[in-house]
Amino acid sequence: AQRVTQPEKLLSVFKGAPVELKCNYSYSGSPELFWYVQYSRQRLQLLLRHISRESIKGFTADLNKGETSFHLKKPFAQEEDSAMYYCALRASSNTGKLIFGQGTTLQVKP
Amino acid sequence: EAGVAQSPRYKIIEKRQSVAFWCNPISGHATLYWYQQILGQGPKLLIQFQNNGVVDDSQLPKDRFSAERLKGVDSTLKIQPAKLEDSAVYLCASSPQRNEQFFGPGTRLTVL
């Protein structure tokens, strides 16, 4: 079965602390993984995708096929990073269908 | 460029009533998606259109939900009759040929 699991509903850190949002997936094929973010009163938007191997707003994520994980990391959290983060799996390049995790709320305290 | 538009933004109905949501995707985007997001969960795909054809509706409860995308542009999602468990945010997204998905603001449905 295709599944995305984000084990933490809420992650609370202080400003300047490192952040790691966990994401594990279940998929037998070759997946495409994404992180989407939703800031307060804004739309859901793409943060980064694993195939780009880029850093966006200081965030990075590495696909670990052995551990079936795609954790999102940032070395120094900022207050403006506070948001809801969703990990998503695209199981088939033919349809573009995304399977989302339950989401993790990141709260960065001053 | 203008983003994905959805209306209404909020809707409150009683169970067994009907409701319809409207989505206007970004101009030129061939693919349109409807997602259902229940409180505390991630979005779940209900239906995907490629132009005006259905690509995936495997998770659409077809006994009560229907969707159409006439002329391959705007789309409507209808629920008839609504149940309490249909209370959710309904998100519309569009993408150019199954690439990055751009989401609308969503319609929050409350069924009493």
Side-chain angles (χ1 to χ4, degrees):
Chain A
Q2 301 157 0
R3 187 183 302 123
V4 176
T5 302
Q6 294 179 249
E8 303 142 326
K9 280 199 159 184
L10 172 66
L11 182 62
S12 186
V13 301
F14 285 102
K15 176 183 172 182
V19 169
E20 183 179 54
L21 297 166
K22 293 187 177 357
C23 172
N24 289 92
Y25 67 90
S26 173
Y27 180 59
S28 57
S30 188
E32 289 185 68
L33 275 298
F34 304 82
W35 277 98
Y36 277 79
V37 62
Q38 188 166 24
Y39 300 102
S40 179
R41 289 185 289 277
Q42 294 189 27
R43 305 174 182 208
L44 193 60
Q45 58 186 284
L46 178 66
L47 179 63
L48 55 79
R49 67 192 84 186
H50 90 270
I51 57 174
S52 301
R53 302 186 67 81
E54 57 196 348
S55 173
I56 303 293
K57 299 184 179 182
F59 285 97
T60 59
D62 290 319
L63 179 60
N64 185 323
K65 291 186 178 181
E67 296 183 358
T68 60
S69 68
F70 188 56
H71 302 327
L72 184 67
K73 299 178 184 178
K74 184 170 183 176
F76 307 104
Q78 303 298 315
E79 288 181 69
E80 55 265 31
D81 296 328
S82 295
M84 177 71 98
Y85 291 81
Y86 294 95
C87 183
L89 161 73
R90 182 153 70 193
S92 168
S93 60
N94 291 333
T95 68
K97 172 182 176 179
L98 291 176
I99 297 168
F100 285 86
Q102 306 94 308
T104 298
T105 300
L106 175 63
Q107 183 184 74
V108 182
K109 296 176 286 188
Chain B
E1 65 182 3
V4 176
Q6 290 187 247
S7 68
R9 293 295 310 279
Y10 305 91
K11 190 74 177 178
I12 300 174
I13 61 172
E14 295 188 350
K15 60 183 180 183
R16 292 188 288 273
Q17 285 188 322
S18 302
V19 65
F21 312 128
W22 173 81
C23 173
N24 186 16
I26 294 172
S27 177
H29 281 192
T31 311
L32 186 146
Y33 310 81
W34 282 103
Y35 289 88
Q36 179 193 57
Q37 186 172 20
I38 292 172
L39 186 64
Q41 299 180 20
K44 182 185 82 171
L45 181 71
L46 292 176
I47 189 167
Q48 176 184 342
F49 292 94
Q50 180 72 18
N51 296 308
N52 60 352
V54 175
V55 174
D56 186 340
D57 64 356
S58 57
Q59 297 196 88
L60 186 74
K62 299 180 186 65
D63 58 334
R64 298 183 301 106
F65 286 64
S66 64
E68 60 182 9
R69 191 184 184 196
L70 298 176
K71 301 180 182 178
V73 182
D74 293 6
S75 178
T76 55
L77 176 70
K78 297 179 182 178
I79 307 175
Q80 180 179 8
K83 292 185 175 181
L84 297 177
E85 58 261 36
D86 298 332
S87 293
V89 175
Y90 290 84
L91 295 168
C92 180
S94 70
S95 68
Q97 299 300 337
R98 303 164 188 156
N99 293 322
E100 176 182 347
Q101 295 184 24
F102 295 84
F103 285 82
T107 296
R108 184 176 298 277
L109 174 67
T110 301
V111 183
L112 303 176

